[in-house]
Amino acid sequence: MNAVLKSGFLLAFSLMSAGLMSKDRDFSLSVKKAEAKTLHFEVSNAKNLSLFIYNDSEGELYAENLSDEGQVAKSYDLQALAPGTYYLVAESESKVEKYKFTISKTNSINMDKTPVSSITKPEFTISGHMVKLHMDGPKYPVNVSVSDSSNNIHYSGSKVAEDGSVDLTFDLNPQFAETYTIRVEENGNVFNKIISFR
């Protein structure tokens, strides 16, 4: 199956026979090879995974959502892309990984086998008006703020991971505001969660 990408290049992909589900709850991306101007990689636990290709000058060039729970083999034909630096981003509900690849003037592709960044997203558990925030393994201090729709700050602080995680609980009383925004920032990466009691 082929799909025309936004920038005009073609994406060719094939699904491998579903393998055994990994014990990990999240995806794993493995760079296989790059030849000519075709990039090959595999993703396990690909359910609800979004893939993006972008560069700094043109922004997003392609986006795709995967739903297969098993292992997916992908081949991206990048013939229409000019020489330069690009990024492949894989994003699930709980993490984001970014891989750098370059296309040379001779049309060869070189892709890093390890991500240039890997970020664990915060998890939120809501019970009534109590909200628990959990982050596994942040490498940098985590700055958290809670504000309401009138921009009143109800909490602002910085946390360093203790025992490998950050855990905070907030009592978001709907008598004070119907909507709250929890802003979580780690090393320049920002995640916002809007909680509404309407």
Side-chain angles (χ1 to χ4, degrees):
M1 180 185 301
N2 292 326
V4 178
L5 302 181
K6 191 182 199 178
S7 65
F9 59 93
L10 295 176
L11 160 72
F13 69 92
S14 62
L15 294 177
M16 291 180 64
S17 56
L20 293 175
M21 185 79 145
S22 170
K23 290 182 180 178
D24 295 334
R25 67 185 179 116
D26 212 344
F27 73 89
S28 174
L29 191 146
S30 174
V31 177
K32 292 302 177 190
K33 61 182 175 176
E35 55 190 4
K37 283 183 86 172
T38 304
L39 185 64
H40 303 281
F41 60 96
E42 291 180 358
V43 184
S44 60
N45 292 349
K47 187 175 183 180
N48 300 324
L49 182 71
S50 297
L51 296 173
F52 308 92
I53 292 178
Y54 78 94
N55 68 6
D56 291 331
S57 60
E58 298 175 67
E60 185 179 297
L61 300 169
Y62 176 73
E64 174 184 13
N65 292 317
L66 303 180
S67 59
D68 194 280
E69 291 186 12
Q71 191 166 24
V72 179
K74 306 297 291 181
S75 294
Y76 285 175
D77 181 354
L78 309 174
Q79 293 295 327
L81 290 183
T85 300
Y86 297 87
Y87 299 94
L88 170 67
V89 177
E91 181 174 358
S92 70
E93 291 180 2
S94 60
K95 76 175 177 178
V96 181
E97 288 187 347
K98 180 167 72 171
Y99 294 81
K100 178 181 175 182
F101 67 94
T102 56
I103 299 175
S104 71
K105 291 182 181 178
T106 60
N107 289 332
S108 64
I109 295 178
N110 182 28
M111 183 168 176
D112 296 342
K113 292 189 180 284
T114 57
V116 292
S117 68
S118 182
I119 304 147
T120 301
K121 292 181 177 181
E123 298 174 28
F124 297 92
T125 305
I126 303 170
S127 178
H129 52 85
M130 301 299 291
V131 178
K132 293 182 179 180
L133 179 151
H134 174 80
M135 282 186 77
D136 275 328
K139 298 179 177 74
Y140 303 93
V142 177
N143 299 309
V144 180
S145 66
V146 179
S147 59
D148 61 30
S149 52
S150 299
N151 291 324
N152 297 313
I153 303 295
H154 295 266
Y155 175 85
S156 181
S158 181
K159 295 284 287 182
V160 176
E162 297 174 9
D163 298 325
S165 66
V166 169
D167 292 285
L168 292 168
T169 301
F170 304 104
D171 183 355
L172 304 183
N173 194 329
Q175 293 178 346
F176 298 127
E178 292 183 339
T179 303
Y180 292 88
T181 300
I182 302 176
R183 182 183 186 276
V184 181
E185 184 268 331
E186 182 199 1
N187 194 32
N189 299 296
V190 177
F191 303 95
N192 289 312
K193 176 72 172 179
I194 297 174
I195 311 290
S196 180
F197 295 106
R198 294 178 185 170

